[in-house]
Amino acid sequence: MVDLESEVPPLPPRYRFRDLLLGDQGWQNDDRVQVEFYMNENTFKERLKLFFIKNQRSSLRIRLFNFSLKLLSCLLYIIRVLLENPSQGNEWSHIFWVNRSLPLWGLQVSVALISLFETILLGYLSYKGNIWEQILRIPFILEIINAVPFIISIFWPSLRNLFVPVFLNCWLAKHALENMINDLHRAIQRTQSAMFNQVLILISTLLCLIFTCICGIQHLERIGKKLNLFDSLYFCIVTFSTVGFGDVTPETWSSKLFVVAMICVALVVLPIQFEQLAYLWMERQKSGGNYSRHRAQTEKHVVLCVSSLKIDLLMDFLNEFYAHPRLQDYYVVILCPTEMDVQVRRVLQIPMWSQRVIYLQGSALKDQDLLRAKMDDAEACFILSSRCEVDRTSSDHQTILRAWAVKDFAPNCPLYVQILKPENKFHIKFADHVVCEEEFKYAMLALNCICPATSTLITLLVHTSRGQEGQQSPEQWQKMYGRCSGNEVYHIVLEESTFFAEYEGKSFTYASFHAHKKFGVCLIGVRREDNKNILLNPGPRYIMNSTDICFYINITKEENSAFKNQDQQRKSNVSRSFYHGPSRLPVHSIIASMGTVAIDLQDTSCRSASGPTLSLPTEGSKEVRRPSIAPVLEVADTSSIQTCDLLSDQSEDETTPDEEISSNLEYAKGYPPYSPYIGSSPTFCHLLHEKVPFCCLRLDKSCQHNYYEDAKAYGFKNKLIIVAAETAGNGLYNFIVPLRAYYRPKKELNPIVLLLDNPLDDLLRCGVTFAANMVVVDKESTMSAEEDYMADAKTIVNVQTLFRLFSSLSIITELTHPANMRFMQFRAKDCYSLALSKLEKKERERGSNLAFMFRLPFAAGRVFSISMLDTLLYQSFVKDYMISITRLLLGLDTTPGSGFLCSMKITAEDLWIRTYARLYQKLCSSTGDVPIGIYRTESQKLTTSESQISISVEEWEDTKDSREQGHHRGNHRNSTSSDQSDHPLLRRKSMQWARRLSRKGPKHSGKTAEKITQQRLNLYRRSERQELAELVKNRMKHLGLSTVGYDEMNDHQSTLSYILINPSPDTRIELNDVVYLIRPDPLAYLPNSEPSRRNSICNVTGQDSREETQL
């Protein structure tokens, strides 16, 4: 066996215990040379310099000792003055000689020796070759004046009582204090506020001036009034404060001269100090100062990081953030690298915001600025991107770096990040909540094509409102629209809820229907306690559990609601009319005031479909239709569950074989094989069996596979959806996928045309005359406008051109600024638009966050601003589920078992349902769908009140006519858009006929004049449209296109559309209403056989006569 100990080498000498005690002696017997390395020169001067100057801690101690020594010398001078007896006489010798006791002289000599030695030593150590620079320094001169006479008196005893101006040591103490503060900052590795340093210097300078003046006046008045120190202090304070009582004044010329000199010094030194202090104060106001650690530990605050802060962004954040009652005690710290804007500064000076908002100028990439904002103690950090940048990718890169910096500095701080490009989203997957602008933008644009006004629906849901908008308006639709806009999404645990606690163990659809019937709340989704996924309308098979979290739509949350049962009042008021007003809406029992809602409990018993409050159909088949609304079962019978919606009775549900959808072999359902960016959610959708060659994707150019050069030649069965964009970015993936979702029937898939440029010829070739929708995406090239609001100029003008050329085309667009929505479909002389503009101003004065909601294009879902969805990120701080619910509604995320948003249109055959409550029951009992709102279209009527506040178009026309006839009678008239008319004779004759028509009626008839004015405007517009129509037709003929489709286009400017979110159960259903539905996941209820599922889908989707898709 090998001896292991013999193979182990001995320990080196430095590791032996003997050598630890006796030292390492092995190197003496070795040839090696020990070398010592020094950070500085190993000389005596360098070692002294290191101790007195370079080393921060030792230098700080030396400065503190020097400061104490100077204060001690000033204290000894005061003691000498107090112990001295005032001498008699006015001889000048009293100025040069004083009475100084021997112990006091000894102390002053000791202090002088130490001070002079330290001064000479520091001068020697800081000597750099110029001796006069050291000698002529003011501190050195003062030290010589105060120390050398005492040292001379040691060798010359007769000079012991010589006067020495020791009080000048206060200036040396001030100089030592400044050096001591600098060394203190270097020693603790922290930089104190420059404002604090400047204030300290100013105070010390003022004290030194006062102390010098006190001692100088007292000493010079030894031959005068013999003032003591208190009288001298009184004189100095009165003099420097410019009061000047005159009861104490200097008598000798020397003291007067000294006062003049001190006042001159004060007039020079103090203004300089005040100027530096004011400059630092202004700079601090720009940078914002600090947020103290004590406040951060005792108060709650959030940090808002932006690259540039605009007033609109600030007010949107503050209004939405502080709209929640529990956030009233929070502070908002804004961290921005740019200087505060003038408008922002003005707003932050308002007392309501100045007490709660702190602006810090700094970068999120600097730890010092994050420390100033106390990011590690913040409750949350909001990082917003600058959407006005020309290069949005560069803006995202800045946002990513800010998010990384915050996560590195404060790992436990929740992050709420806004990103612009979807391909950059995977860099910030660690953030708690992320909102990608292009994902939401394209998803809402796509859903607007199949579910009208989805963008308006989402915008109203994510905004905080009390539902008070439009309540002062004379129009009923504005009252209904404004009241229903106050609905938001809330959550509550089932067992803690008054709304839903009684539905434990029952199906989801049963709970949703009865909660809406009883309380007027709309239950849209649930989440299991042990599951993070939210399920929107999981369907009738889902059984409610006591620990489930319920998500519902209501005017306010249940915690802010009060309940009272009014069964007795209902019995006593049977004879009272149930409906009121022109719209025949019920008297609502929901009263929203200051965040509190009172809800009257309705009768909880199930009302029969043939109850007395529901009128029977007028047709002879009414007895057959009455039992068609089956009751909603507590536990659904899965065998009777259909996979599609059905409103009509059994006789109407039957379809002919010609209406059935034949299986299309070109399409297959599956997941897209390629993802355009990392982090995109996989979506089950319709796919082609074979990939189309790239050459076939050009619509306007033929290839070897087809010879078509325009959309008409392709012979598409469904209407087109045209997307006018500047570039084909990755965000278009989120536009295409919702339009190709698996739950959409193949028969209803609309062809999508991507138009990268939109001149008139390309518009006509791509089939704009028979398109279902045209989507105009925001132009990124206009983001570099000098004025922020001009970023939408190109988009607005392009949309206005399309609106004038193709008046019946459904145009959907997105703008950067919500304020620019008033320019969509702009009509300069439209009375109704002017009335809505005044209504918007009044709502804004009342403090509404949704003042723009009454603009007709926004209410109809034709335009929206993606900046409105900034509130989605803000609301996530209180409602962490809002982003998930919004993504599920828009189809950006798909969760197994979760439903999807769709719509259905009410036709004449469906009006027998009559009320929203019966519609709710029909949907829940037949297909399990949950309705959440109504999209209603009405004819536009100009009321008297609106005509009174609008301008008089007729008077303007008459004035214009007389002015034009006086200057040039032979010229033809211009149109409202200042374009030259192609047919001046037709225009002149039509306007002359309109004027003659208006002069026939009596002038005092307001209704007749108003009617005639509208007729004249309609005639004027028709004439202009005829000119534009001729232009388009001639261009189509030149391109070889048929003009048949364009001839059939009609103008629909006389209608208005709006949304009713979660209307009351007794709301009347009207013709052409579009109902928003959350439909259960079809894959969760797959029947045993595929043909049966196809047939069930065909029952509804095979009706070609309907104008709109019924999903």
Side-chain angles (χ1 to χ4, degrees):
M1 184 174 181
V2 182
D3 189 5
L4 297 178
E5 295 182 358
S6 61
E7 296 183 358
V8 178
L11 290 173
R14 60 182 179 274
Y15 290 105
R16 298 172 185 171
F17 182 72
R18 174 171 58 90
D19 295 323
L20 292 176
L21 297 178
L22 301 179
D24 189 4
Q25 303 295 329
W27 63 274
Q28 297 178 359
N29 301 325
D30 199 352
D31 294 337
R32 292 174 296 176
V33 179
Q34 185 179 8
V35 181
E36 295 182 0
F37 297 94
Y38 296 95
M39 298 293 296
N40 303 279
E41 295 183 16
N42 195 15
T43 61
F44 181 72
K45 179 180 179 181
E46 286 297 327
R47 292 183 179 181
L48 289 178
K49 193 173 183 179
L50 177 65
F51 180 79
F52 281 93
I53 299 177
K54 292 184 177 181
N55 188 279
Q56 291 91 356
R57 296 187 180 275
S58 58
S59 175
L60 178 62
R61 298 188 185 100
I62 298 299
R63 306 288 187 188
L64 182 61
F65 175 75
N66 189 18
F67 176 73
S68 303
L69 208 62
K70 302 307 177 185
L71 290 182
L72 178 61
S73 64
C74 294
L75 181 63
L76 293 176
Y77 179 85
I78 294 175
I79 293 175
R80 197 269 307 167
V81 172
L82 294 177
L83 295 178
E84 185 181 18
N85 293 323
S87 58
Q88 300 295 328
N90 294 329
E91 300 178 358
W92 281 96
S93 60
H94 294 161
I95 299 295
F96 299 103
W97 302 97
V98 295
N99 296 327
R100 186 180 290 114
S101 61
L102 184 61
L104 185 62
W105 173 79
L107 289 174
Q108 289 184 332
V109 169
S110 302
V111 171
L113 285 172
I114 298 174
S115 299
L116 183 62
F117 174 76
E118 181 186 4
T119 302
I120 295 175
L121 179 61
L122 292 177
Y124 166 72
L125 295 178
S126 59
Y127 172 69
K128 297 180 180 179
N130 190 353
I131 187 65
W132 293 108
E133 181 182 356
Q134 300 292 331
I135 294 176
L136 297 180
R137 290 173 58 246
I138 294 179
F140 185 81
I141 295 174
L142 290 178
E143 194 68 48
I144 295 298
I145 293 174
N146 292 326
V148 171
F150 285 107
I151 296 175
I152 295 176
S153 65
I154 298 177
F155 306 101
W156 201 342
S158 61
L159 297 179
R160 292 180 179 176
N161 291 328
L162 180 67
F163 170 73
V164 180
V166 184
F167 58 84
L168 295 179
N169 278 332
C170 65
W171 296 98
L172 296 177
K174 171 183 173 293
H175 180 69
L177 178 62
E178 295 178 6
N179 295 332
M180 183 176 63
I181 292 176
N182 295 334
D183 290 338
L184 178 63
H185 292 168
R186 290 193 306 164
I188 63 178
Q189 297 296 323
R190 289 181 58 186
T191 303
Q192 189 57 268
S193 172
M195 179 64 65
F196 171 78
N197 295 344
Q198 193 62 38
V199 170
L200 186 63
I201 292 174
L202 177 62
I203 294 176
S204 59
T205 303
L206 186 61
L207 291 178
C208 290
L209 281 173
I210 294 176
F211 182 74
T212 303
C213 186
I214 290 173
C215 296
I217 292 296
Q218 186 274 333
H219 181 75
L220 293 177
E221 283 297 318
R222 286 164 57 89
I223 59 177
K225 289 187 176 181
K226 313 256 184 323
L227 299 177
N228 55 25
L229 289 177
F230 181 78
D231 292 337
S232 299
L233 173 64
Y234 172 76
F235 170 75
C236 292
I237 296 299
V238 170
T239 301
F240 280 102
S241 62
T242 67
V243 177
F245 290 115
D247 51 347
V248 178
T249 56
E251 289 186 354
T252 62
W253 66 269
S254 58
S255 58
K256 293 179 181 179
L257 182 62
F258 180 78
V259 171
V260 172
M262 292 304 300
I263 291 177
C264 293
V265 171
L267 291 178
V268 173
V269 174
L270 290 182
I272 295 176
Q273 299 290 335
F274 278 111
E275 180 184 3
Q276 295 179 357
L277 184 63
Y279 174 77
L280 289 176
W281 176 259
M282 294 175 63
E283 292 297 322
R284 184 181 180 181
Q285 289 295 104
K286 295 179 181 179
S287 62
N290 294 326
Y291 186 69
S292 65
R293 177 68 62 179
H294 175 71
R295 293 186 61 182
Q297 294 176 352
T298 57
E299 302 168 347
K300 294 181 179 181
H301 76 286
V302 298
V303 181
L304 175 64
C305 295
V306 292
S307 58
S308 60
L309 186 64
K310 301 299 181 182
I311 186 63
D312 294 337
L313 175 64
L314 176 63
M315 295 311 301
D316 288 342
F317 178 83
L318 294 179
N319 290 330
E320 188 63 36
F321 185 80
Y322 286 110
H324 301 276
R326 62 173 249 185
L327 302 181
Q328 299 303 312
D329 296 332
Y330 278 68
Y331 287 83
V332 174
V333 178
I334 302 174
L335 186 61
C336 182
T338 59
E339 186 178 343
M340 190 186 308
D341 186 62
V342 177
Q343 293 180 338
V344 173
R345 187 188 306 276
R346 189 181 300 115
V347 169
L348 294 185
Q349 291 176 351
I350 300 176
M352 181 174 61
W353 304 125
S354 62
Q355 304 298 326
R356 297 191 284 187
V357 181
I358 302 170
Y359 186 92
L360 303 180
Q361 184 178 352
S363 174
L365 301 184
K366 296 181 180 180
D367 288 349
Q368 295 87 348
D369 294 332
L370 295 178
L371 185 63
R372 289 169 55 204
K374 302 301 179 292
M375 186 68 73
D376 50 344
D377 293 327
E379 299 295 325
C381 176
F382 296 89
I383 303 178
L384 304 182
S385 298
S386 177
R387 60 170 54 92
C388 294
E389 295 288 339
V390 179
D391 188 358
R392 294 196 170 192
T393 303
S394 176
S395 179
D396 278 348
H397 293 169
Q398 299 176 15
T399 302
I400 292 170
L401 287 182
R402 290 191 182 97
W404 288 355
V406 173
K407 195 65 177 179
D408 178 71
F409 181 84
N412 298 324
C413 180
L415 276 180
Y416 298 77
V417 184
Q418 178 195 68
I419 207 80
L420 301 180
K421 294 283 188 178
E423 56 266 25
N424 298 321
K425 191 174 62 171
F426 78 102
H427 291 292
I428 51 173
K429 290 182 63 176
F430 56 85
D432 298 83
H433 299 278
V434 179
V435 172
C436 181
E437 178 178 300
E438 285 199 2
E439 278 188 342
F440 284 89
K441 176 176 70 175
Y442 282 105
M444 287 196 296
L445 289 172
L447 283 183
N448 273 352
C449 298
I450 53 179
C451 298
T454 303
S455 58
T456 305
L457 173 68
I458 298 298
T459 302
L460 296 180
L461 281 178
V462 300
H463 269 79
T464 300
S465 172
R466 293 184 301 168
Q468 300 298 318
E469 288 83 3
Q471 300 308 302
Q472 306 297 328
S473 174
E475 293 206 22
Q476 189 65 27
W477 78 269
Q478 295 174 356
K479 293 182 179 179
M480 296 169 55
Y481 175 50
R483 181 170 56 251
C484 292
S485 67
N487 285 278
E488 298 180 42
V489 181
Y490 301 99
H491 74 290
I492 194 171
V493 181
L494 180 69
E495 59 184 358
E496 301 175 359
S497 172
T498 306
F499 290 157
F500 313 110
E502 59 183 295
Y503 307 119
E504 179 183 355
K506 300 177 182 179
S507 67
F508 177 86
T509 52
Y510 180 87
S512 178
F513 166 67
H514 285 278
H516 183 269
K517 176 183 177 182
K518 183 176 180 180
F519 300 102
V521 300
C522 180
L523 178 64
I524 62 172
V526 290
R527 183 176 63 191
R528 293 291 190 192
E529 183 182 15
D530 55 348
N531 195 346
K532 296 182 179 180
N533 294 328
I534 298 176
L535 302 179
L536 294 182
N537 186 13
R541 287 186 178 181
Y542 186 91
I543 303 302
M544 306 293 290
N545 195 357
S546 60
T547 58
D548 287 351
I549 299 178
C550 302
F551 301 95
Y552 62 96
I553 298 177
N554 194 24
I555 197 72
T556 188
K557 59 182 180 179
E558 182 180 332
E559 292 81 354
N560 294 346
S561 303
F563 303 91
K564 59 178 181 177
N565 200 327
Q566 291 188 348
D567 289 339
Q568 297 180 355
Q569 289 188 4
R570 190 181 294 107
K571 294 180 181 179
S572 61
N573 297 332
V574 173
S575 59
R576 186 176 302 175
S577 175
F578 193 72
Y579 297 101
H580 77 291
S583 65
R584 294 185 56 80
L585 286 177
V587 180
H588 292 280
S589 58
I590 301 177
I591 304 171
S593 176
M594 301 302 292
T596 303
V597 172
I599 301 179
D600 300 339
L601 301 184
Q602 300 181 8
D603 188 7
T604 59
S605 61
C606 296
R607 186 176 300 173
S608 173
S610 59
T613 58
L614 297 176
S615 60
L616 299 178
T618 57
E619 299 179 7
S621 60
K622 61 183 179 179
E623 297 298 335
V624 180
R625 293 180 178 233
R626 280 167 48 190
S628 62
I629 303 182
V632 183
L633 302 179
E634 296 184 4
V635 179
D637 183 8
T638 57
S639 62
S640 62
I641 298 178
Q642 304 176 12
T643 59
C644 62
D645 178 31
L646 193 60
L647 273 182
S648 57
D649 58 2
Q650 298 296 329
S651 61
E652 295 173 344
D653 293 341
E654 298 178 356
T655 58
T656 62
D658 296 336
E659 295 175 340
E660 295 183 0
I661 305 176
S662 60
S663 60
N664 193 345
L665 300 179
E666 295 180 358
Y667 290 98
K669 293 183 179 179
Y671 292 97
Y674 304 105
S675 177
Y677 57 89
I678 301 176
S680 60
S681 179
T683 305
F684 200 62
C685 57
H686 293 283
L687 303 175
L688 291 176
H689 287 286
E690 296 181 0
K691 185 178 180 181
V692 178
F694 180 76
C695 60
C696 297
L697 297 179
R698 290 295 301 266
L699 183 68
D700 57 340
K701 289 186 179 181
S702 60
C703 64
Q704 59 182 354
H705 304 94
N706 64 71
Y707 303 96
Y708 304 139
E709 294 185 355
D710 60 85
K712 191 75 173 179
Y714 279 83
F716 295 120
K717 296 181 180 180
N718 295 334
K719 291 187 176 182
L720 301 175
I721 295 179
I722 304 175
V723 184
E726 198 168 58
T727 57
N730 293 328
L732 282 174
Y733 174 81
N734 299 290
F735 180 86
I736 298 174
V737 167
L739 298 177
R740 294 293 182 265
Y742 70 95
Y743 48 78
R744 297 201 68 210
K746 299 176 185 178
K747 178 184 176 181
E748 299 181 354
L749 299 181
N750 301 88
I752 302 174
V753 178
L754 179 60
L755 185 63
L756 298 182
D757 199 3
N758 55 354
L760 181 58
D761 292 354
D762 292 340
L763 283 171
L764 296 175
R765 285 194 185 99
C766 70
V768 68
T769 56
F770 54 91
N773 298 95
M774 181 166 184
V775 177
V776 181
V777 183
D778 194 7
K779 306 296 182 182
E780 296 184 9
S781 62
T782 60
M783 291 299 178
S784 60
E786 296 181 359
E787 186 179 351
D788 292 337
Y789 288 89
M790 287 297 177
D792 298 320
K794 186 176 181 180
T795 304
I796 293 174
V797 175
N798 288 341
V799 172
Q800 184 70 6
T801 303
L802 293 173
F803 172 67
R804 300 290 290 275
L805 293 176
F806 312 100
S807 56
S808 65
L809 178 63
S810 177
I811 307 173
I812 305 172
T813 188
E814 178 264 340
L815 301 179
T816 303
H817 299 281
N820 289 335
M821 290 191 300
R822 65 182 186 271
F823 301 120
M824 302 306 299
Q825 301 180 7
F826 184 74
R827 306 183 188 97
K829 298 186 296 181
D830 186 72
C831 303
Y832 201 77
S833 299
L834 293 176
L836 292 178
S837 177
K838 293 192 175 184
L839 176 62
E840 178 180 346
K841 295 177 182 178
K842 292 180 180 179
E843 294 296 335
R844 186 176 290 108
E845 292 174 356
R846 297 189 183 103
S848 173
N849 299 332
L850 296 170
F852 51 81
M853 62 179 294
F854 294 103
R855 291 287 182 175
L856 295 183
F858 173 77
R862 303 302 181 193
V863 63
F864 69 96
S865 174
I866 195 62
S867 62
M868 300 174 184
L869 289 186
D870 291 346
T871 58
L872 178 62
L873 192 66
Y874 312 151
Q875 277 203 0
S876 301
F877 183 65
V878 178
K879 304 175 182 178
D880 56 354
Y881 50 85
M882 278 305 300
I883 295 180
S884 299
I885 290 181
T886 306
R887 292 182 66 88
L888 288 174
L889 287 174
L890 295 178
L892 292 173
D893 289 339
T894 54
T895 302
S898 178
F900 58 90
L901 180 66
C902 61
S903 64
M904 59 164 292
K905 190 170 185 178
I906 302 296
T907 60
E909 293 80 6
D910 304 323
L911 290 179
W912 63 271
I913 203 72
R914 297 200 314 273
T915 62
Y916 188 74
R918 287 167 55 86
L919 173 66
Y920 210 118
Q921 181 180 357
K922 175 64 177 177
L923 293 172
C924 290
S925 61
S926 59
T927 60
D929 297 346
V930 173
I932 62 174
I934 297 175
Y935 177 77
R936 179 162 293 175
T937 302
E938 296 179 354
S939 59
Q940 180 176 337
K941 298 178 180 179
L942 186 64
T943 59
T944 306
S945 59
E946 291 160 357
S947 63
Q948 291 175 356
I949 63 175
S950 60
I951 61 174
S952 177
V953 183
E954 182 180 4
E955 294 178 359
W956 186 86
E957 288 287 340
D958 292 339
T959 307
K960 177 183 176 182
D961 293 342
S962 60
R963 184 168 59 251
E964 289 181 351
Q965 290 176 3
H967 290 283
H968 38 261
R969 294 179 177 270
N971 295 337
H972 59 269
R973 304 192 180 279
N974 296 329
S975 63
T976 55
S977 58
S978 301
D979 296 333
Q980 293 295 330
S981 175
D982 295 335
H983 301 277
L985 183 60
L986 175 64
R987 175 63 54 83
R988 184 164 58 253
K989 289 183 177 180
S990 62
M991 292 307 301
Q992 292 174 358
W993 176 82
R995 284 195 299 271
R996 288 197 301 269
L997 182 64
S998 62
R999 294 189 180 95
K1000 289 182 180 180
K1003 297 296 183 180
H1004 62 272
S1005 178
K1007 294 184 178 180
T1008 304
E1010 182 180 347
K1011 184 177 179 181
I1012 294 175
T1013 302
Q1014 263 328 95
Q1015 291 178 353
R1016 292 179 61 192
L1017 285 177
N1018 291 335
L1019 179 62
Y1020 199 56
R1021 292 171 185 160
R1022 279 199 300 271
S1023 301
E1024 181 180 285
R1025 283 199 301 272
Q1026 288 178 0
E1027 299 172 7
L1028 297 176
E1030 290 295 331
L1031 172 65
V1032 175
K1033 289 179 182 179
N1034 293 334
R1035 199 60 198 164
M1036 293 178 69
K1037 293 178 182 178
H1038 177 74
L1039 297 174
L1041 302 177
S1042 175
T1043 61
V1044 177
Y1046 187 76
D1047 291 337
E1048 298 175 355
M1049 299 183 69
N1050 297 320
D1051 188 7
H1052 300 286
Q1053 300 179 7
S1054 60
T1055 61
L1056 58 89
S1057 302
Y1058 57 94
I1059 288 179
L1060 301 178
I1061 303 177
N1062 188 27
S1064 64
D1066 299 303
T1067 303
R1068 286 283 184 175
I1069 300 297
E1070 296 182 1
L1071 183 63
N1072 295 327
D1073 281 352
V1074 178
V1075 182
Y1076 297 102
L1077 307 174
I1078 299 181
R1079 178 160 295 168
D1081 186 7
L1083 299 180
Y1085 310 109
L1086 285 177
N1088 297 329
S1089 61
E1090 182 69 20
S1092 62
R1093 183 167 66 91
R1094 188 186 303 116
N1095 292 335
S1096 62
I1097 297 177
C1098 296
N1099 289 338
V1100 173
T1101 59
Q1103 300 178 13
D1104 296 333
S1105 59
R1106 300 196 178 187
E1107 296 179 0
E1108 183 170 340
T1109 300
Q1110 182 174 359
L1111 297 179

Short mmCIF file of all heavy atoms in Angstrom, two decimals, residues 960-974 988:
data_model
loop_
_atom_site.label_atom_id
_atom_site.label_comp_id
_atom_site.label_asym_id
_atom_site.label_seq_id
_atom_site.Cartn_x
_atom_site.Cartn_y
_atom_site.Cartn_z
N LYS A 960 -73.87 85.95 -48.79
CA LYS A 960 -72.87 85.55 -49.78
C LYS A 960 -73.35 85.84 -51.20
O LYS A 960 -72.60 86.32 -52.05
CB LYS A 960 -72.55 84.06 -49.61
CG LYS A 960 -71.56 83.54 -50.65
CD LYS A 960 -71.35 82.04 -50.45
CE LYS A 960 -70.45 81.48 -51.53
NZ LYS A 960 -70.27 80.03 -51.39
N ASP A 961 -74.65 85.57 -51.46
CA ASP A 961 -75.19 85.79 -52.81
C ASP A 961 -75.14 87.26 -53.17
O ASP A 961 -74.76 87.64 -54.29
CB ASP A 961 -76.61 85.25 -52.90
CG ASP A 961 -76.64 83.73 -52.77
OD1 ASP A 961 -75.57 83.10 -52.96
OD2 ASP A 961 -77.72 83.19 -52.48
N SER A 962 -75.60 88.12 -52.25
CA SER A 962 -75.61 89.55 -52.55
C SER A 962 -74.20 90.08 -52.76
O SER A 962 -73.96 90.94 -53.60
CB SER A 962 -76.31 90.31 -51.41
OG SER A 962 -75.61 90.09 -50.19
N ARG A 963 -73.25 89.55 -51.97
CA ARG A 963 -71.87 90.01 -52.11
C ARG A 963 -71.28 89.56 -53.45
O ARG A 963 -70.57 90.32 -54.11
CB ARG A 963 -71.03 89.49 -50.95
CG ARG A 963 -69.60 90.00 -50.98
CD ARG A 963 -68.88 89.71 -49.64
NE ARG A 963 -68.86 88.27 -49.36
CZ ARG A 963 -69.57 87.69 -48.41
NH1 ARG A 963 -70.36 88.45 -47.65
NH2 ARG A 963 -69.50 86.40 -48.19
N GLU A 964 -71.59 88.35 -53.85
CA GLU A 964 -71.06 87.85 -55.11
C GLU A 964 -71.70 88.54 -56.31
O GLU A 964 -71.06 88.80 -57.32
CB GLU A 964 -71.27 86.33 -55.21
CG GLU A 964 -70.38 85.56 -54.27
CD GLU A 964 -70.58 84.07 -54.40
OE1 GLU A 964 -71.54 83.69 -55.11
OE2 GLU A 964 -69.83 83.31 -53.80
N GLN A 965 -73.01 88.89 -56.21
CA GLN A 965 -73.67 89.54 -57.33
C GLN A 965 -73.14 90.96 -57.52
O GLN A 965 -73.09 91.46 -58.63
CB GLN A 965 -75.18 89.59 -57.10
CG GLN A 965 -75.84 88.21 -57.18
CD GLN A 965 -77.31 88.27 -56.84
OE1 GLN A 965 -77.84 89.35 -56.60
NE2 GLN A 965 -77.96 87.11 -56.83
N GLY A 966 -72.74 91.61 -56.44
CA GLY A 966 -72.22 92.97 -56.56
C GLY A 966 -70.85 93.02 -57.20
O GLY A 966 -70.50 94.01 -57.83
N HIS A 967 -70.04 91.95 -57.03
CA HIS A 967 -68.66 91.97 -57.53
C HIS A 967 -68.54 91.33 -58.90
O HIS A 967 -68.00 91.92 -59.82
CB HIS A 967 -67.73 91.27 -56.53
CG HIS A 967 -67.56 92.06 -55.27
ND1 HIS A 967 -66.75 93.17 -55.18
CD2 HIS A 967 -68.13 91.86 -54.03
CE1 HIS A 967 -66.78 93.65 -53.94
NE2 HIS A 967 -67.62 92.88 -53.23
N HIS A 968 -69.03 90.11 -59.08
CA HIS A 968 -68.93 89.44 -60.38
C HIS A 968 -70.12 88.53 -60.55
O HIS A 968 -70.19 87.46 -60.00
CB HIS A 968 -67.62 88.64 -60.50
CG HIS A 968 -67.24 87.95 -59.22
ND1 HIS A 968 -66.31 88.47 -58.37
CD2 HIS A 968 -67.68 86.82 -58.64
CE1 HIS A 968 -66.16 87.68 -57.35
NE2 HIS A 968 -67.00 86.67 -57.46
N ARG A 969 -71.08 89.06 -61.34
CA ARG A 969 -72.30 88.30 -61.56
C ARG A 969 -72.07 87.15 -62.54
O ARG A 969 -72.80 86.18 -62.52
CB ARG A 969 -73.39 89.24 -62.12
CG ARG A 969 -73.84 90.31 -61.14
CD ARG A 969 -74.88 91.21 -61.75
NE ARG A 969 -75.37 92.20 -60.82
CZ ARG A 969 -76.39 92.04 -60.03
NH1 ARG A 969 -77.04 90.90 -60.06
NH2 ARG A 969 -76.78 92.99 -59.21
N GLY A 970 -71.10 87.29 -63.38
CA GLY A 970 -70.94 86.29 -64.41
C GLY A 970 -70.20 85.05 -63.95
O GLY A 970 -70.15 84.07 -64.68
N ASN A 971 -69.58 85.10 -62.77
CA ASN A 971 -68.80 83.95 -62.32
C ASN A 971 -69.71 82.93 -61.68
O ASN A 971 -70.70 83.26 -61.03
CB ASN A 971 -67.75 84.39 -61.31
CG ASN A 971 -66.72 85.31 -61.94
OD1 ASN A 971 -66.53 85.28 -63.15
ND2 ASN A 971 -66.06 86.14 -61.13
N HIS A 972 -69.38 81.67 -61.88
CA HIS A 972 -70.17 80.61 -61.23
C HIS A 972 -69.72 80.48 -59.78
O HIS A 972 -68.66 80.90 -59.38
CB HIS A 972 -69.97 79.29 -61.98
CG HIS A 972 -68.55 78.85 -62.01
ND1 HIS A 972 -67.71 79.20 -63.03
CD2 HIS A 972 -67.85 78.09 -61.15
CE1 HIS A 972 -66.53 78.67 -62.82
NE2 HIS A 972 -66.59 77.99 -61.66
N ARG A 973 -70.57 79.81 -59.00
CA ARG A 973 -70.37 79.75 -57.56
C ARG A 973 -69.40 78.64 -57.20
O ARG A 973 -69.29 77.65 -57.89
CB ARG A 973 -71.70 79.53 -56.83
CG ARG A 973 -72.72 80.60 -57.18
CD ARG A 973 -73.91 80.55 -56.24
NE ARG A 973 -74.87 81.59 -56.59
CZ ARG A 973 -74.75 82.84 -56.23
NH1 ARG A 973 -73.73 83.20 -55.51
NH2 ARG A 973 -75.63 83.74 -56.60
N ASN A 974 -68.77 78.84 -56.03
CA ASN A 974 -67.87 77.83 -55.50
C ASN A 974 -68.62 76.88 -54.60
O ASN A 974 -69.63 77.23 -54.00
CB ASN A 974 -66.72 78.47 -54.70
CG ASN A 974 -65.85 79.33 -55.57
OD1 ASN A 974 -65.71 79.04 -56.75
ND2 ASN A 974 -65.27 80.37 -54.99
N ARG A 988 -75.74 77.05 -60.49
CA ARG A 988 -76.39 78.34 -60.36
C ARG A 988 -77.90 78.19 -60.41
O ARG A 988 -78.63 78.81 -59.64
CB ARG A 988 -75.90 79.28 -61.48
CG ARG A 988 -76.45 80.68 -61.38
CD ARG A 988 -75.67 81.67 -62.23
NE ARG A 988 -75.64 81.28 -63.64
CZ ARG A 988 -74.57 80.78 -64.27
NH1 ARG A 988 -73.45 80.60 -63.61
NH2 ARG A 988 -74.63 80.46 -65.56
#
